[in-house]
Amino acid sequence: MNTVASPHFAYRQDTLYAENVPLAQIAARFGTPLYVYSRAALTAQWQAFQQTLAQHPASADALICYAVKANSSLAILNLFARLGAGFDIVSGGELQRVLAASAGIAGVAGRVVFSGVGKTEAEMELALNAGILCFNVESAAELDRLNAVAGRLGKTAPVSLRVNPDVDPQTHPYISTGLKTAKFGIPIAEAPRLYERAAALPHLAVEGIDCHIGSQILSVAPFAEALERLLALLDLLEKRNIPIRHLDLGGGLGIPYQGTDAPPEIDAYLTPLLDQLTGRKKLKIMVEPGRRLVGNAGVLLTKVEYLKPGEEKNFAIIDAAMNDLMRPALYQAWHDILPVQRSQRQSDAPAPIFDVVGPVCESGDFLGLSRPLALAAGDLLAVMSAGAYGMSMSSNYNSRPRAAEILVDGDKTHLIRRRENIAELYALESLPPAPETA
Ligand SMILES: *Cc1c(COP(=O)(O)O)cnc(C)c1O
């Protein structure tokens, strides 16, 4: 099996571990379905970004803004805040999560950038009152609204324009955001005019240029092309007396979901981009990684409920479903699926082929198709690379309580979100009065 190697989720003999804890032991204690994250894996990815930026002269002043939507667990936000992270948010709710997760850690609000095409007035107010670092503005109408809200509060809003450089990141169309046809960002040809407008508005302060071209990008070329276009814009703006202090390169660096994926290492991605800045005026450099920081730091643990052999297909019906991990249904995404205990069954060739499916009433409810697995009912499986866009996209569809979450740290396990109970799922609902009878 050509699976993704991870030092933090690895077999010892035939038993799959999270750091120093057998996954079977975690499942026995906390039940399934269950998200399990590795603190060491999260920290290692963070440090790879941090060290590359610290070593390059072009990024002497740098800020890593973790993209909260990839995984917005308070425990994970807290871990990154302690490491000195900034945050890229896309809603007022995410800002409140960041603030709740970082109470007692100084300066976090001042390291938040606010992206997204639909910021409401209430969200702008919240962010202005919190004193965030920058608004990444995505339209002319948003500039006007932000100017008005800031004026009303007697504040000045720091802004970047999120520029759409029209490069093809060659990823899944649903996670490709930097093409002309996308709803995101401001077309680069219109950017100079909007920067002039922003500079003229009394309650805005132009700070930087921002872009984010897509997600799960597996080569450096689209990033380099986008940066080249941003730098041309920057030169033009400075000629027109609009000084730029920071450059936000966005997120989007991919992770290996299977052994055949070969995304660049973090330094191989960042160094050529930073080299493009050599010889220029010093800028504060920002990046907004989401998936790369958390994706391979988590797995979804699940139990096989039933085997259902068929004439055409065999089904393994598990206790996790599309409501827990939506990526396969939404993007036809691949996740490796590994047995938590390899056994004699697993080594006897050839393994039967299974579609690994959940109990939800949708044909799209699968976590993996046509997988060779030697299984029995009751076996535990680990759905790998589930740390990003897993729990954060989960729902209660079919009235399924969402999974619990565990953070493993060496040989310790911490429950970071308990399992929901059913009464909580309808706690906000109420019944109308009984109809009057005639
Ligand atoms: C989603 C998002 C990111 C993070 O993308 P990843 O592919 O997870 O790195 C960064 N910036 C913005 C504006 C986003 O919307």
PDB file of all heavy atoms in Angstrom, residues 120-152:
ATOM      1  N   THR A 120     -20.004  41.515   7.063  1.00  0.00           N
ATOM      2  CA  THR A 120     -21.157  42.339   7.443  1.00  0.00           C
ATOM      3  C   THR A 120     -20.682  43.539   8.268  1.00  0.00           C
ATOM      4  O   THR A 120     -19.547  43.555   8.765  1.00  0.00           O
ATOM      5  CB  THR A 120     -22.153  41.533   8.306  1.00  0.00           C
ATOM      6  OG1 THR A 120     -21.503  41.191   9.541  1.00  0.00           O
ATOM      7  CG2 THR A 120     -22.603  40.252   7.609  1.00  0.00           C
ATOM      8  N   GLU A 121     -21.580  44.526   8.444  1.00  0.00           N
ATOM      9  CA  GLU A 121     -21.220  45.683   9.268  1.00  0.00           C
ATOM     10  C   GLU A 121     -20.904  45.239  10.692  1.00  0.00           C
ATOM     11  O   GLU A 121     -19.960  45.743  11.315  1.00  0.00           O
ATOM     12  CB  GLU A 121     -22.361  46.705   9.275  1.00  0.00           C
ATOM     13  CG  GLU A 121     -22.549  47.353   7.922  1.00  0.00           C
ATOM     14  CD  GLU A 121     -23.384  48.624   7.981  1.00  0.00           C
ATOM     15  OE1 GLU A 121     -23.685  49.106   9.090  1.00  0.00           O
ATOM     16  OE2 GLU A 121     -23.721  49.132   6.895  1.00  0.00           O
ATOM     17  N   ALA A 122     -21.686  44.313  11.218  1.00  0.00           N
ATOM     18  CA  ALA A 122     -21.455  43.852  12.590  1.00  0.00           C
ATOM     19  C   ALA A 122     -20.074  43.199  12.715  1.00  0.00           C
ATOM     20  O   ALA A 122     -19.365  43.398  13.707  1.00  0.00           O
ATOM     21  CB  ALA A 122     -22.550  42.866  13.004  1.00  0.00           C
ATOM     22  N   GLU A 123     -19.685  42.444  11.700  1.00  0.00           N
ATOM     23  CA  GLU A 123     -18.356  41.806  11.740  1.00  0.00           C
ATOM     24  C   GLU A 123     -17.240  42.845  11.656  1.00  0.00           C
ATOM     25  O   GLU A 123     -16.205  42.727  12.327  1.00  0.00           O
ATOM     26  CB  GLU A 123     -18.232  40.791  10.594  1.00  0.00           C
ATOM     27  CG  GLU A 123     -19.073  39.542  10.819  1.00  0.00           C
ATOM     28  CD  GLU A 123     -19.055  38.591   9.633  1.00  0.00           C
ATOM     29  OE1 GLU A 123     -19.069  39.058   8.470  1.00  0.00           O
ATOM     30  OE2 GLU A 123     -19.024  37.372   9.866  1.00  0.00           O
ATOM     31  N   MET A 124     -17.459  43.864  10.818  1.00  0.00           N
ATOM     32  CA  MET A 124     -16.450  44.932  10.719  1.00  0.00           C
ATOM     33  C   MET A 124     -16.293  45.640  12.061  1.00  0.00           C
ATOM     34  O   MET A 124     -15.176  45.923  12.502  1.00  0.00           O
ATOM     35  CB  MET A 124     -16.856  45.937   9.642  1.00  0.00           C
ATOM     36  CG  MET A 124     -16.720  45.395   8.228  1.00  0.00           C
ATOM     37  SD  MET A 124     -17.393  46.588   7.046  1.00  0.00           S
ATOM     38  CE  MET A 124     -16.904  45.800   5.500  1.00  0.00           C
ATOM     39  N   GLU A 125     -17.419  45.926  12.708  1.00  0.00           N
ATOM     40  CA  GLU A 125     -17.374  46.600  14.017  1.00  0.00           C
ATOM     41  C   GLU A 125     -16.601  45.775  15.047  1.00  0.00           C
ATOM     42  O   GLU A 125     -15.753  46.281  15.765  1.00  0.00           O
ATOM     43  CB  GLU A 125     -18.797  46.820  14.550  1.00  0.00           C
ATOM     44  CG  GLU A 125     -19.393  48.121  14.111  1.00  0.00           C
ATOM     45  CD  GLU A 125     -20.767  48.363  14.735  1.00  0.00           C
ATOM     46  OE1 GLU A 125     -20.996  47.963  15.892  1.00  0.00           O
ATOM     47  OE2 GLU A 125     -21.606  48.953  14.026  1.00  0.00           O
ATOM     48  N   LEU A 126     -16.939  44.495  15.075  1.00  0.00           N
ATOM     49  CA  LEU A 126     -16.271  43.591  16.011  1.00  0.00           C
ATOM     50  C   LEU A 126     -14.762  43.620  15.796  1.00  0.00           C
ATOM     51  O   LEU A 126     -13.972  43.724  16.741  1.00  0.00           O
ATOM     52  CB  LEU A 126     -16.821  42.169  15.768  1.00  0.00           C
ATOM     53  CG  LEU A 126     -16.455  41.069  16.734  1.00  0.00           C
ATOM     54  CD1 LEU A 126     -17.166  41.300  18.061  1.00  0.00           C
ATOM     55  CD2 LEU A 126     -16.865  39.712  16.154  1.00  0.00           C
ATOM     56  N   ALA A 127     -14.357  43.552  14.521  1.00  0.00           N
ATOM     57  CA  ALA A 127     -12.924  43.492  14.202  1.00  0.00           C
ATOM     58  C   ALA A 127     -12.237  44.824  14.479  1.00  0.00           C
ATOM     59  O   ALA A 127     -11.103  44.855  14.965  1.00  0.00           O
ATOM     60  CB  ALA A 127     -12.744  43.065  12.744  1.00  0.00           C
ATOM     61  N   LEU A 128     -12.929  45.927  14.188  1.00  0.00           N
ATOM     62  CA  LEU A 128     -12.335  47.246  14.466  1.00  0.00           C
ATOM     63  C   LEU A 128     -12.186  47.453  15.977  1.00  0.00           C
ATOM     64  O   LEU A 128     -11.165  47.956  16.441  1.00  0.00           O
ATOM     65  CB  LEU A 128     -13.210  48.358  13.871  1.00  0.00           C
ATOM     66  CG  LEU A 128     -13.081  48.536  12.348  1.00  0.00           C
ATOM     67  CD1 LEU A 128     -14.243  49.368  11.803  1.00  0.00           C
ATOM     68  CD2 LEU A 128     -11.747  49.185  11.981  1.00  0.00           C
ATOM     69  N   ASN A 129     -13.192  47.045  16.729  1.00  0.00           N
ATOM     70  CA  ASN A 129     -13.105  47.205  18.184  1.00  0.00           C
ATOM     71  C   ASN A 129     -12.042  46.300  18.782  1.00  0.00           C
ATOM     72  O   ASN A 129     -11.412  46.659  19.776  1.00  0.00           O
ATOM     73  CB  ASN A 129     -14.472  46.952  18.829  1.00  0.00           C
ATOM     74  CG  ASN A 129     -15.421  48.129  18.604  1.00  0.00           C
ATOM     75  OD1 ASN A 129     -14.971  49.282  18.522  1.00  0.00           O
ATOM     76  ND2 ASN A 129     -16.703  47.850  18.480  1.00  0.00           N
ATOM     77  N   ALA A 130     -11.823  45.136  18.182  1.00  0.00           N
ATOM     78  CA  ALA A 130     -10.771  44.240  18.684  1.00  0.00           C
ATOM     79  C   ALA A 130      -9.390  44.766  18.313  1.00  0.00           C
ATOM     80  O   ALA A 130      -8.391  44.400  18.932  1.00  0.00           O
ATOM     81  CB  ALA A 130     -10.978  42.821  18.129  1.00  0.00           C
ATOM     82  N   GLY A 131      -9.319  45.605  17.275  1.00  0.00           N
ATOM     83  CA  GLY A 131      -8.023  46.152  16.854  1.00  0.00           C
ATOM     84  C   GLY A 131      -7.199  45.184  16.029  1.00  0.00           C
ATOM     85  O   GLY A 131      -6.009  44.971  16.287  1.00  0.00           O
ATOM     86  N   ILE A 132      -7.834  44.607  14.984  1.00  0.00           N
ATOM     87  CA  ILE A 132      -7.101  43.632  14.162  1.00  0.00           C
ATOM     88  C   ILE A 132      -6.027  44.309  13.310  1.00  0.00           C
ATOM     89  O   ILE A 132      -6.038  45.526  13.122  1.00  0.00           O
ATOM     90  CB  ILE A 132      -8.041  42.792  13.257  1.00  0.00           C
ATOM     91  CG1 ILE A 132      -8.704  43.653  12.183  1.00  0.00           C
ATOM     92  CG2 ILE A 132      -9.074  42.037  14.108  1.00  0.00           C
ATOM     93  CD1 ILE A 132      -9.329  42.830  11.055  1.00  0.00           C
ATOM     94  N   LEU A 133      -5.129  43.477  12.777  1.00  0.00           N
ATOM     95  CA  LEU A 133      -3.984  43.979  12.005  1.00  0.00           C
ATOM     96  C   LEU A 133      -4.422  44.531  10.655  1.00  0.00           C
ATOM     97  O   LEU A 133      -3.925  45.568  10.217  1.00  0.00           O
ATOM     98  CB  LEU A 133      -2.986  42.830  11.803  1.00  0.00           C
ATOM     99  CG  LEU A 133      -1.740  43.106  10.966  1.00  0.00           C
ATOM    100  CD1 LEU A 133      -0.879  44.183  11.608  1.00  0.00           C
ATOM    101  CD2 LEU A 133      -0.931  41.821  10.790  1.00  0.00           C
ATOM    102  N   CYS A 134      -5.316  43.811   9.963  1.00  0.00           N
ATOM    103  CA  CYS A 134      -5.658  44.246   8.606  1.00  0.00           C
ATOM    104  C   CYS A 134      -6.943  43.597   8.102  1.00  0.00           C
ATOM    105  O   CYS A 134      -7.226  42.442   8.410  1.00  0.00           O
ATOM    106  CB  CYS A 134      -4.505  43.879   7.657  1.00  0.00           C
ATOM    107  SG  CYS A 134      -4.561  44.770   6.096  1.00  0.00           S
ATOM    108  N   PHE A 135      -7.685  44.368   7.322  1.00  0.00           N
ATOM    109  CA  PHE A 135      -8.820  43.836   6.568  1.00  0.00           C
ATOM    110  C   PHE A 135      -8.337  43.536   5.150  1.00  0.00           C
ATOM    111  O   PHE A 135      -7.798  44.426   4.486  1.00  0.00           O
ATOM    112  CB  PHE A 135      -9.940  44.869   6.484  1.00  0.00           C
ATOM    113  CG  PHE A 135     -10.646  45.119   7.779  1.00  0.00           C
ATOM    114  CD1 PHE A 135     -10.118  46.005   8.716  1.00  0.00           C
ATOM    115  CD2 PHE A 135     -11.846  44.475   8.068  1.00  0.00           C
ATOM    116  CE1 PHE A 135     -10.774  46.235   9.921  1.00  0.00           C
ATOM    117  CE2 PHE A 135     -12.506  44.706   9.270  1.00  0.00           C
ATOM    118  CZ  PHE A 135     -11.966  45.584  10.200  1.00  0.00           C
ATOM    119  N   ASN A 136      -8.541  42.319   4.691  1.00  0.00           N
ATOM    120  CA  ASN A 136      -8.250  42.003   3.300  1.00  0.00           C
ATOM    121  C   ASN A 136      -9.535  42.227   2.505  1.00  0.00           C
ATOM    122  O   ASN A 136     -10.440  41.405   2.515  1.00  0.00           O
ATOM    123  CB  ASN A 136      -7.752  40.556   3.166  1.00  0.00           C
ATOM    124  CG  ASN A 136      -6.384  40.371   3.812  1.00  0.00           C
ATOM    125  OD1 ASN A 136      -5.608  41.324   3.936  1.00  0.00           O
ATOM    126  ND2 ASN A 136      -6.083  39.156   4.221  1.00  0.00           N
ATOM    127  N   VAL A 137      -9.602  43.363   1.849  1.00  0.00           N
ATOM    128  CA  VAL A 137     -10.850  43.824   1.227  1.00  0.00           C
ATOM    129  C   VAL A 137     -10.991  43.212  -0.167  1.00  0.00           C
ATOM    130  O   VAL A 137     -10.021  43.137  -0.925  1.00  0.00           O
ATOM    131  CB  VAL A 137     -10.866  45.369   1.166  1.00  0.00           C
ATOM    132  CG1 VAL A 137     -12.046  45.877   0.361  1.00  0.00           C
ATOM    133  CG2 VAL A 137     -10.875  45.942   2.582  1.00  0.00           C
ATOM    134  N   GLU A 138     -12.207  42.773  -0.488  1.00  0.00           N
ATOM    135  CA  GLU A 138     -12.399  42.003  -1.722  1.00  0.00           C
ATOM    136  C   GLU A 138     -13.272  42.695  -2.766  1.00  0.00           C
ATOM    137  O   GLU A 138     -13.547  42.109  -3.817  1.00  0.00           O
ATOM    138  CB  GLU A 138     -12.978  40.623  -1.376  1.00  0.00           C
ATOM    139  CG  GLU A 138     -12.125  39.865  -0.362  1.00  0.00           C
ATOM    140  CD  GLU A 138     -12.055  38.367  -0.606  1.00  0.00           C
ATOM    141  OE1 GLU A 138     -12.436  37.911  -1.697  1.00  0.00           O
ATOM    142  OE2 GLU A 138     -11.601  37.662   0.310  1.00  0.00           O
ATOM    143  N   SER A 139     -13.756  43.933  -2.499  1.00  0.00           N
ATOM    144  CA  SER A 139     -14.555  44.617  -3.528  1.00  0.00           C
ATOM    145  C   SER A 139     -14.606  46.114  -3.234  1.00  0.00           C
ATOM    146  O   SER A 139     -14.322  46.561  -2.120  1.00  0.00           O
ATOM    147  CB  SER A 139     -15.982  44.067  -3.571  1.00  0.00           C
ATOM    148  OG  SER A 139     -16.651  44.368  -2.353  1.00  0.00           O
ATOM    149  N   ALA A 140     -15.037  46.885  -4.252  1.00  0.00           N
ATOM    150  CA  ALA A 140     -15.206  48.335  -4.096  1.00  0.00           C
ATOM    151  C   ALA A 140     -16.284  48.631  -3.056  1.00  0.00           C
ATOM    152  O   ALA A 140     -16.127  49.514  -2.217  1.00  0.00           O
ATOM    153  CB  ALA A 140     -15.579  48.954  -5.439  1.00  0.00           C
ATOM    154  N   ALA A 141     -17.367  47.865  -3.102  1.00  0.00           N
ATOM    155  CA  ALA A 141     -18.465  48.110  -2.165  1.00  0.00           C
ATOM    156  C   ALA A 141     -18.007  47.876  -0.721  1.00  0.00           C
ATOM    157  O   ALA A 141     -18.421  48.581   0.202  1.00  0.00           O
ATOM    158  CB  ALA A 141     -19.643  47.197  -2.506  1.00  0.00           C
ATOM    159  N   GLU A 142     -17.129  46.883  -0.553  1.00  0.00           N
ATOM    160  CA  GLU A 142     -16.635  46.614   0.804  1.00  0.00           C
ATOM    161  C   GLU A 142     -15.761  47.769   1.308  1.00  0.00           C
ATOM    162  O   GLU A 142     -15.808  48.111   2.499  1.00  0.00           O
ATOM    163  CB  GLU A 142     -15.859  45.285   0.818  1.00  0.00           C
ATOM    164  CG  GLU A 142     -15.473  44.864   2.221  1.00  0.00           C
ATOM    165  CD  GLU A 142     -14.536  43.663   2.276  1.00  0.00           C
ATOM    166  OE1 GLU A 142     -14.564  42.817   1.353  1.00  0.00           O
ATOM    167  OE2 GLU A 142     -13.763  43.591   3.243  1.00  0.00           O
ATOM    168  N   LEU A 143     -14.975  48.371   0.419  1.00  0.00           N
ATOM    169  CA  LEU A 143     -14.153  49.525   0.810  1.00  0.00           C
ATOM    170  C   LEU A 143     -15.042  50.633   1.367  1.00  0.00           C
ATOM    171  O   LEU A 143     -14.761  51.208   2.424  1.00  0.00           O
ATOM    172  CB  LEU A 143     -13.409  50.088  -0.402  1.00  0.00           C
ATOM    173  CG  LEU A 143     -12.057  49.518  -0.793  1.00  0.00           C
ATOM    174  CD1 LEU A 143     -11.503  50.315  -1.974  1.00  0.00           C
ATOM    175  CD2 LEU A 143     -11.061  49.520   0.365  1.00  0.00           C
ATOM    176  N   ASP A 144     -16.125  50.925   0.643  1.00  0.00           N
ATOM    177  CA  ASP A 144     -17.026  52.005   1.067  1.00  0.00           C
ATOM    178  C   ASP A 144     -17.674  51.672   2.404  1.00  0.00           C
ATOM    179  O   ASP A 144     -17.771  52.512   3.295  1.00  0.00           O
ATOM    180  CB  ASP A 144     -18.104  52.237   0.007  1.00  0.00           C
ATOM    181  CG  ASP A 144     -17.512  52.840  -1.267  1.00  0.00           C
ATOM    182  OD1 ASP A 144     -16.409  53.426  -1.183  1.00  0.00           O
ATOM    183  OD2 ASP A 144     -18.133  52.709  -2.338  1.00  0.00           O
ATOM    184  N   ARG A 145     -18.117  50.433   2.542  1.00  0.00           N
ATOM    185  CA  ARG A 145     -18.771  50.046   3.797  1.00  0.00           C
ATOM    186  C   ARG A 145     -17.790  50.120   4.968  1.00  0.00           C
ATOM    187  O   ARG A 145     -18.125  50.651   6.029  1.00  0.00           O
ATOM    188  CB  ARG A 145     -19.338  48.631   3.675  1.00  0.00           C
ATOM    189  CG  ARG A 145     -19.964  48.157   4.973  1.00  0.00           C
ATOM    190  CD  ARG A 145     -20.490  46.748   4.901  1.00  0.00           C
ATOM    191  NE  ARG A 145     -21.790  46.685   4.240  1.00  0.00           N
ATOM    192  CZ  ARG A 145     -22.500  45.553   4.121  1.00  0.00           C
ATOM    193  NH1 ARG A 145     -22.028  44.416   4.587  1.00  0.00           N
ATOM    194  NH2 ARG A 145     -23.662  45.567   3.526  1.00  0.00           N
ATOM    195  N   LEU A 146     -16.583  49.633   4.741  1.00  0.00           N
ATOM    196  CA  LEU A 146     -15.597  49.638   5.831  1.00  0.00           C
ATOM    197  C   LEU A 146     -15.252  51.068   6.227  1.00  0.00           C
ATOM    198  O   LEU A 146     -15.129  51.390   7.424  1.00  0.00           O
ATOM    199  CB  LEU A 146     -14.346  48.861   5.399  1.00  0.00           C
ATOM    200  CG  LEU A 146     -13.254  48.698   6.451  1.00  0.00           C
ATOM    201  CD1 LEU A 146     -13.780  48.000   7.710  1.00  0.00           C
ATOM    202  CD2 LEU A 146     -12.066  47.903   5.881  1.00  0.00           C
ATOM    203  N   ASN A 147     -15.124  51.940   5.226  1.00  0.00           N
ATOM    204  CA  ASN A 147     -14.841  53.349   5.506  1.00  0.00           C
ATOM    205  C   ASN A 147     -15.951  53.958   6.366  1.00  0.00           C
ATOM    206  O   ASN A 147     -15.680  54.666   7.339  1.00  0.00           O
ATOM    207  CB  ASN A 147     -14.701  54.108   4.182  1.00  0.00           C
ATOM    208  CG  ASN A 147     -14.399  55.578   4.403  1.00  0.00           C
ATOM    209  OD1 ASN A 147     -13.382  55.940   4.985  1.00  0.00           O
ATOM    210  ND2 ASN A 147     -15.324  56.438   3.975  1.00  0.00           N
ATOM    211  N   ALA A 148     -17.192  53.640   6.028  1.00  0.00           N
ATOM    212  CA  ALA A 148     -18.325  54.192   6.775  1.00  0.00           C
ATOM    213  C   ALA A 148     -18.359  53.657   8.205  1.00  0.00           C
ATOM    214  O   ALA A 148     -18.555  54.419   9.162  1.00  0.00           O
ATOM    215  CB  ALA A 148     -19.632  53.861   6.049  1.00  0.00           C
ATOM    216  N   VAL A 149     -18.152  52.362   8.358  1.00  0.00           N
ATOM    217  CA  VAL A 149     -18.203  51.761   9.703  1.00  0.00           C
ATOM    218  C   VAL A 149     -17.062  52.310  10.564  1.00  0.00           C
ATOM    219  O   VAL A 149     -17.266  52.679  11.726  1.00  0.00           O
ATOM    220  CB  VAL A 149     -18.149  50.215   9.619  1.00  0.00           C
ATOM    221  CG1 VAL A 149     -18.052  49.604  11.014  1.00  0.00           C
ATOM    222  CG2 VAL A 149     -19.374  49.682   8.894  1.00  0.00           C
ATOM    223  N   ALA A 150     -15.873  52.406   9.984  1.00  0.00           N
ATOM    224  CA  ALA A 150     -14.733  52.931  10.745  1.00  0.00           C
ATOM    225  C   ALA A 150     -14.988  54.375  11.154  1.00  0.00           C
ATOM    226  O   ALA A 150     -14.714  54.766  12.290  1.00  0.00           O
ATOM    227  CB  ALA A 150     -13.450  52.802   9.925  1.00  0.00           C
ATOM    228  N   GLY A 151     -15.546  55.178  10.226  1.00  0.00           N
ATOM    229  CA  GLY A 151     -15.844  56.580  10.521  1.00  0.00           C
ATOM    230  C   GLY A 151     -16.812  56.702  11.682  1.00  0.00           C
ATOM    231  O   GLY A 151     -16.619  57.508  12.593  1.00  0.00           O
ATOM    232  N   ARG A 152     -17.848  55.862  11.645  1.00  0.00           N
ATOM    233  CA  ARG A 152     -18.853  55.888  12.709  1.00  0.00           C
ATOM    234  C   ARG A 152     -18.235  55.580  14.075  1.00  0.00           C
ATOM    235  O   ARG A 152     -18.634  56.124  15.087  1.00  0.00           O
ATOM    236  CB  ARG A 152     -19.912  54.842  12.373  1.00  0.00           C
ATOM    237  CG  ARG A 152     -21.239  55.059  13.020  1.00  0.00           C
ATOM    238  CD  ARG A 152     -22.323  54.307  12.278  1.00  0.00           C
ATOM    239  NE  ARG A 152     -22.168  52.865  12.396  1.00  0.00           N
ATOM    240  CZ  ARG A 152     -22.424  52.003  11.412  1.00  0.00           C
ATOM    241  NH1 ARG A 152     -22.790  52.440  10.228  1.00  0.00           N
ATOM    242  NH2 ARG A 152     -22.270  50.712  11.605  1.00  0.00           N
TER     243      ARG A 152
END
